[in-house]
Amino acid sequence: MVTPPKGDYASIPITAEAKKVADAWDSAKDEAAGEQCRSYGAAGIMRVPGRAHITWQDDTTLKVEIDAGTQTRLLHFGSWKAPANSKPTWQGDSVATWETPVVAAGAAGSAGGVAPVTTEAAKFGSLKVVTTRMRPGYLRKNGVPYSADAVLTEYWDVHKERNGDQWLVITTLVDDPKYLQLPWVTSPNFKKEASGAKWDPTPCSARW
């Protein structure tokens, strides 16, 4: 995995203002300002090469630890609300809901009857995660920005191959009225590993 060089913004529908910010990007200045985690915020972290460890923190909170940048995302279910007067963070506030297909009560058969109802479809669906209140960061490590007004929407889906391999596919949409002309859509993929032997927490870095 190689980070595109400065000035390479291919595939991202950035605005003119975003281009000015990205053209002025300087990793040394980020480090000096203590902003080396800008490319590890929620809107970009799942595309940073690394590994994720997913567990339940409690009955209503899914904990996603990422070794790249040693980041932790908390996905909240139910009626969770951010604490009053809390400040935006790199990982923002994430609200999660399960989305499953709507199963019809029945369908008309060829002879005018009603076909049997199956609940098989209800076993499939996506985990939808909407994240707001993020600190301004980078969509890519080469300085392509997202603003504090950005909204991140993700759909997490698990797929199992015939050979037993399991993949987590995260369809990601970033909406940012300041820095994006259109929503930016990507789909990071994670392959389930047999153990956590390769887990390697590393600090944020503004360098290549």
Side-chain angles (χ1 to χ4, degrees), residues 80-176:
W80 178 88
K81 291 184 178 180
N85 301 319
S86 62
K87 296 181 178 180
T89 63
W90 290 126
Q91 302 310 324
D93 298 332
S94 297
V95 177
T97 55
W98 296 107
E99 292 203 339
T100 55
V102 176
V103 181
S110 59
V114 176
V117 176
T118 174
T119 59
E120 191 66 24
K123 297 180 182 180
F124 301 93
S126 300
L127 173 63
K128 180 180 179 180
V129 182
V130 178
T131 303
T132 56
R133 289 173 46 79
M134 297 176 283
R135 287 180 62 179
Y138 297 147
L139 295 173
R140 281 184 182 162
K141 206 165 188 175
N142 63 350
V144 179
Y146 63 86
S147 74
D149 295 324
V151 176
L152 169 67
T153 303
E154 301 164 293
Y155 296 89
W156 298 47
D157 296 280
V158 175
H159 302 277
K160 188 172 183 178
E161 303 289 345
R162 292 183 177 179
N163 64 359
D165 289 348
Q166 289 190 50
W167 292 85
L168 171 64
V169 179
I170 307 175
T171 303
T172 303
L173 298 86
V174 181
D175 289 279
D176 188 343

Side-chain angles (χ1 to χ4, degrees), residues 2-15 18-19 22-23 47 139-145 179-186:
V2 178
T3 300
K6 183 176 180 177
D8 184 352
Y9 316 131
S11 82
I12 307 181
I14 59 175
T15 62
K19 186 176 186 303
D23 286 344
R47 290 187 303 281
L139 295 173
R140 281 184 182 162
K141 206 165 188 175
N142 63 350
V144 179
Y179 289 140
L180 292 175
Q181 301 179 58
L182 299 167
W184 187 42
V185 182
T186 56

